Amino acid sequence: MSRITDFINRLDNCPAGQKGWREFEDMCVEILEFLFVPPLVRPIIQPRTYSGTNRRDAVFPNRNFDEKHSWGLLLRELEARLVLFEFKNYDATDIGHEEVIQTDNYLTEPMGKLAIMVCNKLPNDGAHIQRNNIYSRRRRVILFMTKEHLKEMLFIKERGEDPCDLIVDLVERFYLQHE
């Protein structure tokens, strides 16, 4: 079995909710490392702020200053120096505006203006409205990425193409839907 097939099987079989939250988070980090390291640097897992108030799920340093690469474009356009990934593996509960606010609170100016919420299901309308409000006020982009997006990026990598192109596509789709 190929590594990509293994990732897809694990994504499909990961239980939603409290039962599978740790498995989902660990698996997502493993997939993102496979997809993006290099050109990104290995992630810092569960980094806390100095006071311990905030704990982020995973942060991938982006040292791609060359704009020929998609990560370089995101660094210039969104100052995405430290790319924040938050993982949401909800069962019966919706992924809503509170989760978007929490993700926004984790972004600091030195990190940049890009966060990616990797979710086992699409967030609700309130989450979409909240991320639009955040962009309008602070010019921060919070992307919603599902397990299907992860699978698509795995197939992109398998074809020898750049999986970051999907993230750039999601940013552009976000810009188009923003109001």
Side-chain angles (χ1 to χ4, degrees):
M1 176 185 309
S2 77
R3 191 163 184 198
I4 290 173
T5 303
D6 178 56
F7 282 140
I8 290 170
N9 288 338
R10 288 170 54 202
L11 276 171
D12 288 341
N13 294 312
C14 183
Q18 194 68 18
K19 184 177 176 187
W21 76 267
R22 172 55 77 186
E23 179 184 345
F24 183 73
E25 189 168 307
D26 290 347
M27 179 179 28
C28 287
V29 168
E30 190 179 342
I31 290 169
L32 293 168
E33 276 192 70
F34 174 74
L35 291 170
F36 300 130
V37 177
L40 297 181
V41 176
R42 291 195 69 211
I44 304 159
I45 307 299
Q46 305 281 327
R48 292 186 180 273
T49 55
Y50 182 75
S51 67
T53 307
N54 289 328
R55 182 197 48 79
R56 301 162 179 103
D57 288 343
V59 177
F60 285 75
N62 180 9
R63 300 175 187 161
N64 292 277
F65 298 101
D66 182 357
E67 291 180 29
K68 292 177 187 169
H69 190 280
S70 295
W71 286 111
L73 172 70
L74 293 170
L75 180 61
R76 180 186 54 79
E77 186 174 311
L78 295 171
E79 302 165 15
R81 180 69 177 79
L82 298 166
V83 183
L84 171 64
F85 285 88
E86 286 292 309
F87 307 107
K88 306 297 178 195
N89 186 40
Y90 287 24
D91 190 8
T93 310
D94 278 354
I95 301 167
H97 75 280
E98 291 291 330
E99 289 76 15
V100 174
I101 291 169
Q102 176 189 40
T103 299
D104 178 53
N105 287 338
Y106 290 162
L107 281 176
T108 61
E109 190 174 329
M111 291 178 70
K113 298 177 180 179
L114 175 64
I116 300 171
M117 292 174 58
V118 181
C119 310
N120 66 323
K121 60 184 178 181
L122 272 176
N124 67 21
D125 287 343
H128 285 81
I129 292 167
Q130 185 64 46
R131 77 175 184 163
N132 281 352
N133 290 337
I134 289 167
Y135 183 75
S136 294
R137 287 192 327 269
R138 296 191 176 123
R139 290 298 186 234
R140 291 178 176 175
V141 172
I142 298 174
L143 298 178
F144 299 141
M145 186 177 289
T146 64
K147 294 192 300 187
E148 296 309 312
H149 290 116
L150 289 176
K151 291 176 190 178
E152 187 175 342
M153 286 190 297
L154 287 165
F155 292 131
I156 291 169
K157 182 161 180 115
E158 187 175 50
R159 292 191 305 265
E161 299 169 10
D162 185 359
C164 184
D165 289 346
L166 181 69
I167 292 176
V168 173
D169 289 347
L170 291 173
V171 169
E172 290 168 349
R173 287 183 214 151
F174 170 76
Y175 290 156
L176 288 171
Q177 68 78 47
H178 179 263
E179 52 188 0

